[in-house]
Amino acid sequence: MSPAPPRRSRLAAIVAGLERVNAALGRAVGVLVLAMVLLQFTVVLLRYLFGFSHMMLQEGVLYMHAFLFMLAAGYTLLIDGHVRVDVLYGRLGPRGKAWIDLVGGLVLLMPPLVVLAYYSWPSVRNSWSVLEGAISVGGIPASFLLKTLVPAFCLVVGLQGVAMILRAGHLALTGTPLPERTAAGALR
């Protein structure tokens, strides 16, 4: 009889679930890159070859750009793609890095996210209450969607921040890492 496969801990399952959310969201908004490039190409062609320009098309690029960057921020944190300005981090071992990630997440990441979400919410709520229109005349009549990206950003980065804090805390306190995940969500 072969031994049973090792069971994942409840903490590992929670972290994996949180990371799966941002991995899926990162893949989903990744298609916006191609759509944004194609739309910008279309805008340039229409303008310079046919002399046609429409504000809604130009704002479409702006909207896609905003959705891409605001909703992919959690995914970027998942794959450790954010810029680090830390002279010590690279010289530390896994446990030392975990302590920096833990303290950084608790002190430098989560409090600003909470403040940003708290102070942006009234503007988002007001924007939705009147279904705030276009930024420019003839533009996309949905500024409320752009404003919604601020608390959405806080949510996706916050979810990944919690996963990072739990993962780092486990390693820092026990010395054993949780199973790592790739950006695609598979265990490494």
Side-chain angles (χ1 to χ4, degrees), residues 22-109:
N22 274 307
L25 191 56
R27 285 190 302 272
V29 299
V31 297
L32 286 178
V33 173
L34 179 60
M36 188 172 62
V37 168
L38 292 174
L39 181 57
Q40 184 64 62
F41 181 72
T42 302
V43 166
V44 169
L45 276 179
L46 290 173
R47 182 175 187 152
Y48 291 105
L49 289 180
F50 303 106
F52 175 80
S53 179
H54 198 282
M55 185 56 69
M56 202 173 283
L57 292 174
Q58 292 175 10
E59 278 192 9
V61 175
L62 179 134
Y63 273 67
M64 283 190 252
H65 195 254
F67 273 82
L68 173 68
F69 280 92
M70 297 296 272
L71 296 179
Y75 174 77
T76 305
L77 187 57
L78 168 67
I79 63 169
D80 202 22
H82 287 284
V83 175
R84 287 188 182 268
V85 182
D86 190 339
V87 292
L88 298 176
Y89 192 84
R91 298 178 188 172
L92 296 175
R95 204 163 182 184
K97 289 179 180 179
W99 276 108
I100 287 179
D101 287 343
L102 175 61
V103 172
L106 289 171
V107 175
L108 300 174
L109 178 65

